[in-house]
């Protein structure tokens, strides 16, 4: 279905609002996936003996792991966005 055609059931503002809603839902799903992956990876790396609480070294390990994971993800995202922008400019 072509959302830009005159036979589409949405006018321009409705289409823009729908696109914004979809973009927000995709961003939320991506954020949830990142948190899940980060939690799984850092838990496996830092929690050797699961118990009722985290000891000091486990807390530090998790904090550092999550910081590194987010730094890496941000770097990859920036590079990917930059490459997309360059590719779009070539078109």
């Amino acid at each position: 279905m072509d959302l830009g055609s005159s036979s589409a059931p949405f006018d321009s503002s409705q289409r823009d609002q729908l696109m914004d809603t979809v973009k927000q839902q995709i961003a939320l799903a991506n954020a949830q996936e990142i948190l899940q992956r980060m939690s799984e990876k850092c838990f496996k790396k830092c929690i050797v003996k699961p118990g009722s609480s985290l000891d000091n070294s486990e807390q530090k390990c998790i904090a550092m792991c999550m910081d590194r994971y987010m730094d890496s993800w941000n770097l990859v995202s920036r590079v990917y966005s930059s490459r997309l922008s360059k590719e779009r400019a070539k078109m």
Side-chain angles (χ1 to χ4, degrees):
M1 175 199 253
D2 180 16
L3 292 177
S5 71
S6 60
S7 64
F10 301 108
D11 67 24
S12 177
S13 66
Q14 289 173 323
R15 184 183 69 231
D16 291 344
Q17 186 178 16
L18 178 62
M19 291 300 290
D20 287 343
T21 300
V22 170
K23 287 177 185 177
Q24 289 173 0
Q25 290 174 347
I26 290 170
L28 179 60
N30 286 337
Q32 289 172 333
E33 183 177 348
I34 290 166
L35 286 172
Q36 180 182 356
R37 285 184 183 177
M38 181 173 50
S39 296
E40 288 173 5
K41 290 183 183 299
C42 292
F43 184 86
K44 286 178 185 175
K45 177 182 175 13
C46 298
I47 311 300
V48 180
K49 298 177 188 175
S52 61
S53 64
L54 300 175
D55 66 27
N56 201 24
S57 64
E58 290 171 331
Q59 289 177 15
K60 288 179 183 178
C61 180
I62 287 176
M64 289 173 55
C65 178
M66 293 175 88
D67 285 346
R68 278 190 241 117
Y69 193 93
M70 288 305 297
D71 289 344
S72 299
W73 189 86
N74 286 331
L75 175 64
V76 170
S77 294
R78 282 193 306 270
V79 170
Y80 180 71
S81 294
S82 174
R83 287 186 183 175
L84 280 178
S85 296
K86 288 178 184 176
E87 288 298 319
R88 287 182 184 146
K90 289 180 183 179
M91 295 179 158

